[in-house]
Amino acid sequence: MRFNTRLIHDAQPPDPLTGAVNPPIYLSSTFRQAAPNRHQGYVYGRTGNPTRAVLEATLASLESGRAGLAFSSGLGALATLLEGFPSGSRIVAGDDLYGGTWRLLDHHRRQFGVRAEFEDLGSRPVVSRLLKTPADLVYLESPTNPLLKLVDIAEVARQAHRAGAVVAVDNTFATPALQRPIELGADVVLHSTTKYLGGHSDIIGGALVFRDRRTASRYAWLQNAVGAVPSPFDAYLVLRGLRTLGVRMRAHEEAARAVASALEGHRRVRAVHYPGLASHPQHALARRQMSGYGGIVSIDVAGGLRAALRFLRRLRVFTLAESLGGVESLVDHPATMTHASVPEELRRAHGVTDGLVRLSCGIEDPSDLVDDVLQALRGA
Ligand SMILES: *Cc1c(COP(=O)(O)O)cnc(C)c1O
């Protein structure tokens, strides 16, 4: 079956007990045992829950992995992933990452003696230089948050595997509707299901999907040992969101394309970052690696911080808030909001300027979004 059909049917196996077309939300924290250790597959809600199990199987299928695990947040998923990399491990990470991801990797570097390097994995010579020496984990986003830079996942995976590293890709921005890293050679996919997969800005959640079962069962052990699991209700809401992921991503993209084209060349905008624009330096890679360009557009407002703040104040349809990927359009100022945990020099060096504004284009009428950004720029 094709992806958009699987979005509906993988998430919705009729309940074997009643035929209900939606999976029941099992709120039970524990499960009866007929005799000690004789049970029906479920023991305790942290270890496993039937509603969560439907979500985990669905995510594994959609990401072309063998198994998936759901977590209480994207960072809960990352924290659990990092439990697998002890002191002395070498982690090669991208230099443009979600602020919280950078913060947690940096914490592991300081606190636990993990060696973490943050480099531009979009550059082939940089990747070749970094992966000449052995590594344990290559961790990347593509497209990146907030600059929408791309990484050639297949190429990085080839070189990483030669260096002995596991490749983990944060696929939050693209979603499996537009990009499937495991098919390109990655070993692990991470999601903040808070964003597009949930899709309605009403849950916090995360996930890991694995290429092979052995790694997955090691991490199932860690999922239970660490305990950063989602509630059954949140697991259900992600399943509910997944069914409309296909139509939502098409609508997000239509809006993002309209906004990006309207702002490209605007005299009050210094740069528009969107992989769907022919002017994006990695547009060709985006066409090869993704089946769409997604709903996030970042712009550098001419005039720096003050102009950016004026622009934010004047927006009417876009709501100023952290997060992204919901049906409503949101706008973020990375330097002071989502990426404030990244030290200023580092942030600037990587191109996250004070004028940078990240637009998460929702599924409202694209013309209203275009009108909104244009009128707000008039006052910037
Ligand atoms: C939001 C986000 C995260 C963190 O996920 P939470 O669910 O907020 O913990 C990680 N990566 C990316 C790309 C994100 O946008």
Side-chain angles (χ1 to χ4, degrees):
M1 275 191 290
R2 290 165 182 83
F3 189 82
N4 284 320
T5 311
R6 283 166 42 216
L7 275 174
I8 311 289
H9 292 275
D10 285 9
Q12 230 166 330
D15 177 36
L17 224 53
T18 62
V21 298
N22 284 302
I25 304 172
Y26 286 93
L27 290 174
S28 194
S29 59
T30 191
F31 299 83
R32 183 187 70 95
Q33 308 194 11
N37 290 315
R38 256 189 51 221
H39 52 75
Q40 293 159 264
Y42 293 97
V43 174
Y44 183 62
R46 169 167 26 77
T47 323
N49 168 280
T51 313
R52 191 176 98 205
V54 176
L55 172 62
E56 294 177 331
T58 302
L59 290 171
S61 162
L62 296 176
E63 282 288 3
S64 302
R66 296 300 297 277
L69 296 171
F71 292 89
S72 54
S73 68
L75 288 183
L78 178 62
T80 307
L81 177 70
L82 294 179
E83 289 285 327
F85 296 89
S87 156
S89 299
R90 177 170 179 244
I91 301 180
V92 173
D95 63 356
D96 187 40
L97 296 166
Y98 172 67
T101 297
W102 182 86
R103 182 174 58 201
L104 188 56
L105 284 167
D106 189 55
H107 172 68
H108 274 249
R109 183 176 68 78
R110 292 160 184 264
Q111 189 88 353
F112 304 126
V114 161
R115 287 176 295 153
E117 294 152 49
F118 302 92
E119 303 267 3
D120 180 7
L121 302 182
S123 150
R124 223 180 149 124
V126 170
V127 170
S128 301
R129 171 174 58 77
L130 287 168
L131 296 177
K132 267 199 191 73
T133 35
D136 298 291
L137 171 67
V138 173
Y139 188 88
L140 62 97
E141 294 177 10
S142 185
T144 62
N145 182 357
L147 289 170
L148 288 308
K149 294 198 286 189
L150 265 63
V151 173
D152 186 337
I153 297 172
E155 178 58 29
V156 168
R158 252 191 309 278
Q159 298 204 34
H161 290 153
R162 272 206 300 272
V166 165
V167 178
V169 176
D170 181 337
N171 203 29
T172 299
F173 269 35
T175 84
L178 306 183
Q179 169 176 280
R180 289 185 286 281
I182 290 176
E183 291 177 8
L184 296 166
D187 305 293
V188 185
V189 167
L190 181 141
H191 274 285
S192 168
T193 57
T194 311
K195 316 292 168 53
Y196 287 110
L197 303 193
H200 296 74
S201 306
D202 54 6
I203 59 117
I204 299 286
L208 295 175
V209 177
F210 302 89
R211 165 188 291 282
D212 74 88
R213 249 183 228 297
R214 267 195 41 213
T215 315
S217 53
R218 249 182 65 223
Y219 275 99
W221 187 90
L222 279 169
Q223 179 195 40
N224 178 55
V226 174
V229 295
S231 76
F233 190 70
D234 286 357
Y236 179 85
L237 284 178
V238 178
L239 281 167
R240 181 177 162 119
L242 280 174
R243 289 176 207 132
T244 55
L245 181 67
V247 285
R248 283 189 288 109
M249 290 313 288
R250 286 197 288 279
H252 284 299
E253 177 160 338
E254 191 195 342
R257 276 173 186 272
V259 167
S261 331
L263 297 185
E264 196 177 30
H266 192 290
R267 67 184 176 86
R268 292 199 165 146
V269 177
R270 281 208 338 212
V272 179
H273 307 285
Y274 183 62
L277 290 175
S279 60
H280 187 285
Q282 293 158 306
H283 181 63
L285 173 61
R287 288 181 63 140
R288 201 162 73 235
Q289 179 165 280
M290 306 172 74
S291 56
Y293 307 108
I296 311 290
V297 179
S298 289
I299 61 169
D300 207 338
V301 179
L305 184 63
R306 290 189 47 192
L309 294 180
R310 272 197 302 273
F311 172 71
L312 294 171
R313 249 195 324 272
R314 285 180 60 101
L315 286 166
R316 297 199 192 104
V317 182
F318 282 84
T319 301
L320 179 65
E322 302 214 355
S323 201
L324 55 97
V327 291
E328 69 290 296
S329 291
L330 297 179
V331 60
D332 163 56
H333 185 242
T336 57
M337 295 167 64
T338 46
H339 292 69
S341 57
V342 182
E344 190 175 331
E345 325 81 68
L346 204 61
R347 193 167 21 83
R348 287 237 172 90
H350 298 149
V352 181
T353 60
D354 288 348
L356 192 78
V357 168
R358 187 189 71 195
L359 300 161
S360 170
C361 302
I363 64 169
E364 301 97 333
D365 192 305
S367 305
D368 286 327
L369 302 184
V370 169
D371 289 350
D372 195 33
V373 292
L374 291 178
Q375 68 76 23
L377 277 174
R378 278 196 288 276

